[in-house]
Amino acid sequence: MHIETAISLRDCNTFGLPATAATLVRITSEADVRQVVNHPELGPAPKFILGGGSNVVFTRDVTACLLKVEITGLRVVEERADAVIVEAGAGVRWHDLVAWTLGQGLPGLENLALIPGTVGAAPVQNIGAYGLELADRFDSLDAVDLISGRSVTLDRARCRFGYRDSVFKRELAGKSLITRVRLRLPRPWQPVLEYLDLQRKCEEAGFIEGRLPGARQVFDWVCEIRRAKLPDPAVIGNAGSFFKNPVVSLEQCRDIIARDPHLVHYPMDDGQFKLAAGWLIDACGWKGKSVGAAAVYEKQALVLVNRGGASGGEVMTLARAIQESVYGRFGIRLEPEPIVV
Ligand code: EPU
């Protein structure tokens, strides 16, 4: 096990924010995790787990022992009549897993193409896009308990997935390190095309009257839509959506629509409504506004970007100003989506 000290994290977070880790350990196997747990100094120290750094805002240096997950490996575990189970190491880039499954002729993850970050981080916030969530394709995962060093396997129920939420953001935050994730790809495959942007693509390409696009086509569309709307972190620092889409009651939704008829809202199964936070922020006039080098992306108000040299403090000052203005106009408290350190 190699312990690194005083490491810059600027290249380890997609926002490109400055911070250092007092202690960093690269985790390439379960054995590495156990070595950390049994280490006389690192064992009892608080831990911070980092994957691709695509969902974190560093506002200060990390004093906890930072475990950078770099476990590799991709394999088909089981082929059943109703599903194929694939497994990926937690350090594999999520998009590489999606592309690999398609290359193997195993569709099912195409709606989740191009999501930045690693496989191990995907269950933490239950990544989702274009009508599909990780939870819809999740089979199970392996993790190591950071106190006992014991390996555990968690099924879907034990992960307690919610909208951009799981047990790893709550009770198990910093206590359990995900090492491998297994996905269940249902057979026969059926495209997921309910999302408005995908329906538009279907119409434009002439997929009508029961003629359905293939998985590779859906993958290409999702990549196109994302590239048009979302900034590439390799070009301009960002952490994807900065706020969660808020959920409100029917009464609250009606009340807002009475004043703002164009409110973008989606009915949910439980009778509540999910509102498009991007629309709320846009309606308050935030697109393109900035605090220092932190700015609201011009093409998608839900994304905050680093125009070059921003600090985590600037990002959070901008975020708080947005929260206040949305609360002032709509009475809704926006909740940040990334983990703020
Ligand atoms: N909108 C505006 N102005 C804006 C932004 C959005 O009016 O500046 C409106 C759009 O016109 C659209 C609606 O808001 O009618 C929703 O926008 P979009 O389809 O872009 O999706 P979103 O709700 O902003 C969510 C996820 C994204 C995911 C997309 C596609 C959250 C917090 N975000 O965004 O996830 O890619 O749906 O499924 O749920 C992420 O989590 O980092 C992420 C990018």
Side-chain angles (χ1 to χ4, degrees), residues 164-221:
R164 294 294 190 276
D165 196 26
S166 77
V167 71
F168 300 101
K169 270 192 160 181
R170 297 172 182 269
E171 292 88 330
L172 293 184
K175 293 191 184 135
S176 190
L177 186 142
I178 297 168
T179 52
R180 287 177 202 286
V181 178
R182 283 171 293 279
L183 287 317
R184 186 180 174 281
L185 310 178
R187 296 287 162 269
W189 172 79
Q190 286 213 312
V192 176
L193 300 167
E194 286 73 34
Y195 207 87
L196 191 63
D197 289 345
L198 287 176
Q199 283 178 19
R200 278 198 199 116
K201 290 278 183 195
C202 278
E203 280 161 30
E204 278 164 28
F207 285 97
I208 38 168
E209 290 164 18
R211 206 167 72 82
L212 292 173
R216 178 67 64 177
Q217 178 65 80
V218 177
F219 174 90
D220 288 343
W221 284 341

Side-chain angles (χ1 to χ4, degrees), residues 138-159:
F138 183 81
D139 178 72
S140 58
L141 60 78
D142 298 333
V144 179
D145 183 294
L146 290 174
I147 294 161
S148 68
R150 270 201 303 269
S151 294
V152 286
T153 295
L154 270 67
D155 63 10
R156 204 165 99 141
R158 288 180 68 196
C159 290

Side-chain angles (χ1 to χ4, degrees), residues 254-285:
R254 275 195 186 138
D255 178 54
I256 299 173
I257 289 171
R259 285 174 284 129
D260 288 279
H262 300 297
L263 174 76
V264 179
H265 59 291
Y266 314 95
M268 295 177 36
D269 294 343
D270 60 3
Q272 300 194 95
F273 286 83
K274 192 181 265 187
L275 309 183
W279 186 90
L280 299 172
I281 298 167
D282 199 0
C284 292

Side-chain angles (χ1 to χ4, degrees), residues 55 115 125 128-131 163-164 195-197 226 229-230 239-245 264 266 274-280 282 287 297-303 337:
N55 205 43
I115 296 183
Q125 56 147 342
Y130 305 104
Y163 166 57
R164 294 294 190 276
Y195 207 87
L196 191 63
D197 289 345
R226 287 191 75 97
K229 275 193 180 179
L230 298 166
S241 299
F242 197 90
F243 299 101
K244 292 186 192 183
N245 283 330
V264 179
Y266 314 95
K274 192 181 265 187
L275 309 183
W279 186 90
L280 299 172
D282 199 0
K287 255 185 200 164
Y297 191 51
E298 285 84 356
K299 294 186 209 164
Q300 211 323 354
L302 194 50
V303 177
E337 209 235 294

